[in-house]
Amino acid sequence: MGRDFWEASRVIEQALDAIDHTGDTRMPDTRKIAAMNRARGLADRMIALAAVYTDLVARSGATEKTAGTPLSDYLALTEGRSSSEANGLVHQAGRITADPAVRDAALAGTVSPGKAAAAGAVLRELPRHDMTESQREAAAGVLLEQAAAGATTRQIARSADRVLEQVAPELAPTAAGRAAEAERRRQRALRERELNFAEDGRGSVRFWGRLPDTEGDLLRKVIGACVERGRGDERRELETLKAQKVTGELTTGQYFAARTALQEREHRTTAQRQADALTDMITTLQNAGQIPAAGGETPRVVVTLDYMGLLQLAVDTAATGTRPDGTVLDEVSAARLRTALTGTSENSADVSASQVRIACCDAGILPAVLGEASEILDVGREHRLVTPQIRKTLALRDSGCIFPGCQVPAQACQAHHVTPWWAGGATSLENLVLVCRHHHGVVEPHRYDPAADQWRITFDDTGRPHVHPPRRLRRDLPPGSDAGARSAPGRDKRAEALEEAEPGSGGGHSQNQQENSAHRPDTGIQDTLIA
């Protein structure tokens, strides 16, 4: 003889209160797993029980009668849920209880609530009015058998046609009918495809939309593959760093500094990795020259004398897509320029200086500095952007990102001017290196702080680039570290080069740092857009 709901629920509450957790951590691992499985099984049965009563309330309209509030709103208000979450619970309850056999299986714990809801949805999808009672019961049995055999929720949800073929073959769609229906869905999906963008007012661009199944699955798989490749690259980078430390190729200081930079990438969430993968895919297309161009030439921005004049010129160019000389920016460069404005953008949102530097380093900038009489004093070097020939040579020399341990291949890297273009740096092999998008921000010179302690790049006598960590990371190393000691035995040439490059040491790179962050002496003004 079963107990009524109230008596049974009190017993359940008392049993939960009586569980002693003080010895849980001392359980053998096998018992921990068994306890987890038991608790999760009980939780599923409670979810099914809650679904039964949720559907009972929904069918009777109890919350409307007693509280003047629809059930979904009642759940949202009393349980602190969102409206969509509350609606989902109501709909799930209706699917779980759609068939007595499926409902009872969920209550007994022989099928999970998710699979029970999927089975209920399939049963509702079938032509029930054309089926006999025995056929409907058989359909429920087939779905429960699938669940017991290990079918996933998704597989159950897509099994309507197969179920009909088993229990009511005369009602099952023919191959031609299925093909016609698939084509109708395809055409509807094509008509409804969309991609939308909107600025969120917090420094980000929000985008949303939909794609047909085939294209959507392709996008998901490609981004997923990029994410997994990134995780693999990080594992290989760590092993490479460890090997380089053991062989002495990296000092202890360089190893810990590179390890710290790698940890920033390792700690990304899956959602962040997917966003980065999409950005990297676009960057790869751009580097390969696959982005359509308008106007027939590389993008340029004319930098004028005073800040307000420069700002207005950049804003006008971004808004119209037309340079002062009448030529047209391609759509990608125009979009980048709209956000690559120091301190402001087209919608007056703030933009960080670091992001401005990186964005302008990728865009083509030809400085035109004017004197008091507006005469042109300097139009820069002949070419700002890296030519295909230079990029091929960079790929052969650097192979990929030059940051210690980084495994990003050349085709996914950006060409970085070690001495920025605005500071007199040439677009030549002696001033260019390949870095990935992440490390581009790490090695980009600090524009407004000449003494900034940051990652630096130098070239040896053979023209090979070398990356040096900040001094502050060497100072924070564990006791016994060899980095940072001028006379430490076994110190490699790169550690010496790092010390020689420190401000005030007279090293060659110190001069680069001065150039990278100084005001222009010929005009007495500070650059606003940074290459």
Side-chain angles (χ1 to χ4, degrees):
M1 184 70 177
R3 298 179 178 180
D4 73 347
F5 172 80
W6 300 108
E7 182 183 357
S9 63
R10 281 193 295 271
V11 171
I12 293 172
E13 287 180 343
Q14 292 169 359
L16 290 174
D17 293 339
I19 294 177
D20 181 8
H21 297 285
T22 57
D24 288 352
T25 57
R26 296 191 297 273
M27 283 185 186
D29 288 342
T30 54
R31 294 287 289 174
K32 291 176 183 176
I33 295 173
M36 176 193 70
N37 290 335
R38 176 70 65 84
R40 296 184 67 84
L42 293 172
D44 279 349
R45 296 184 68 179
M46 290 303 299
I47 290 174
L49 180 63
V52 168
Y53 284 99
T54 300
D55 186 64
L56 180 63
V57 171
R59 291 178 183 275
S60 64
T63 56
E64 287 93 337
K65 297 173 184 175
T66 61
T69 305
L71 176 56
S72 58
D73 294 325
Y74 179 87
L75 292 176
L77 292 170
T78 59
E79 299 181 5
R81 301 180 183 274
S82 66
S83 296
S84 59
E85 185 182 6
N87 272 317
L89 291 175
V90 175
H91 289 306
Q92 182 190 49
R95 292 191 292 267
I96 290 175
T97 58
D99 179 84
V102 173
R103 177 202 62 202
D104 293 345
L107 289 171
T110 58
V111 62
S112 70
K115 292 183 179 181
V122 170
L123 292 172
R124 286 183 172 182
E125 182 183 343
L126 298 178
R128 292 174 293 170
H129 298 297
D130 297 327
M131 300 170 63
T132 65
E133 183 177 353
S134 61
Q135 287 174 328
R136 290 193 293 269
E137 292 175 354
V142 169
L143 290 166
L144 291 175
E145 288 174 3
Q146 289 182 7
T152 65
T153 302
R154 184 181 179 128
Q155 290 170 336
I156 294 172
R158 294 185 171 187
S159 63
D161 288 348
R162 291 194 299 275
V163 170
L164 270 182
E165 289 172 356
Q166 288 184 252
V167 303
E170 71 280 4
L171 299 176
T174 63
R178 285 195 298 268
E181 176 60 23
E183 181 60 26
R184 283 193 293 272
R185 287 198 302 267
R186 169 72 178 173
Q187 293 304 316
R188 182 175 62 248
L190 286 171
R191 290 193 299 271
E192 294 176 348
R193 71 189 186 280
E194 60 178 331
L195 182 61
N196 305 287
F197 298 89
E199 295 173 356
D200 67 355
R202 301 172 58 188
S204 299
V205 174
R206 185 171 62 91
F207 55 92
W208 69 98
R210 68 179 78 186
L211 291 172
D213 284 341
T214 302
E215 289 78 2
D217 286 343
L218 176 61
L219 178 62
R220 186 164 49 214
K221 289 176 181 177
V222 170
I223 289 181
C226 292
V227 168
E228 290 308 311
R229 184 188 67 182
R231 288 194 172 103
D233 287 344
E234 290 160 14
R235 290 191 293 269
R236 287 187 290 273
E237 286 172 33
L238 178 57
E239 294 304 317
T240 300
L241 289 175
K242 291 178 179 178
Q244 290 174 335
K245 182 176 181 295
V246 170
T247 61
E249 186 177 350
L250 290 179
T251 65
T252 303
Q254 290 169 329
Y255 168 79
F256 278 105
R259 184 73 183 90
T260 299
L262 178 59
Q263 284 177 341
E264 295 181 7
R265 294 165 56 202
E266 292 175 326
H267 293 165
R268 292 176 296 169
T269 65
T270 298
Q272 289 172 329
R273 289 175 180 275
Q274 291 179 164
D276 291 344
L278 182 60
T279 304
D280 289 340
M281 289 163 58
I282 296 171
T283 301
T284 301
L285 285 175
Q286 189 176 38
N287 290 340
Q290 299 299 312
I291 303 296
E297 61 177 282
T298 56
R300 292 182 299 169
V301 176
V302 177
V303 180
T304 57
L305 178 62
D306 66 301
Y307 172 77
M308 292 307 298
L310 165 63
L311 185 59
Q312 188 60 53
L313 178 64
V315 169
D316 290 345
T317 303
T320 63
T322 304
R323 305 184 185 93
D325 62 2
T327 57
V328 180
L329 282 170
D330 64 84
E331 294 182 3
V332 173
S333 297
R336 293 172 67 86
L337 178 60
R338 279 192 286 269
T339 56
L341 303 175
T342 299
T344 188
S345 64
E346 188 180 19
N347 67 342
S348 300
D350 291 339
V351 177
S352 69
S354 62
Q355 289 303 108
V356 170
R357 288 195 300 274
I358 294 173
C360 291
C361 191
D362 293 335
I365 298 176
L366 289 175
V369 181
L370 308 181
E372 292 183 0
S374 296
E375 71 275 14
I376 296 178
L377 302 178
D378 183 6
V379 294
R381 271 69 62 213
E382 182 178 2
H383 296 289
R384 163 64 181 87
L385 297 184
V386 174
T387 64
Q389 293 79 9
I390 292 179
R391 185 165 184 91
K392 289 179 182 178
T393 307
L394 281 173
L396 289 173
R397 186 195 71 187
D398 297 345
S399 299
C401 179
I402 66 166
F403 200 87
C406 185
Q407 301 293 320
V408 175
Q411 63 268 24
C413 288
Q414 302 167 345
H416 166 68
H417 286 71
V418 176
T419 300
W421 175 265
W422 52 263
T427 303
S428 64
L429 290 175
E430 293 76 17
N431 190 48
L432 292 169
V433 294
L434 290 181
V435 287
C436 66
R437 179 179 54 81
H438 172 77
H439 290 131
H440 199 162
V442 174
V443 302
E444 187 71 26
H446 197 295
R447 174 62 185 86
Y448 299 111
D449 185 3
D453 181 28
Q454 62 182 84
W455 288 85
R456 303 173 184 175
I457 299 174
T458 61
F459 293 89
D460 60 22
D461 294 338
T462 67
R464 290 280 180 179
H466 299 284
V467 187
H468 310 289
R471 297 185 307 280
R472 61 182 179 273
L473 286 180
R474 294 187 295 128
R475 286 198 298 265
D476 293 340
L477 293 175
S481 168
D482 59 345
R486 285 185 176 273
S487 58
R491 189 163 48 91
D492 65 12
K493 292 184 178 180
R494 281 183 286 181
E496 296 174 0
L498 172 61
E499 292 172 357
E500 293 173 0
E502 293 178 0
S505 67
H509 193 71
S510 177
Q511 178 64 28
N512 283 348
Q513 283 292 97
Q514 297 289 339
E515 293 174 355
N516 289 356
S517 49
H519 289 46
R520 283 191 179 276
D522 55 354
T523 64
I525 67 167
Q526 195 169 14
D527 284 338
T528 304
L529 291 179
I530 299 96

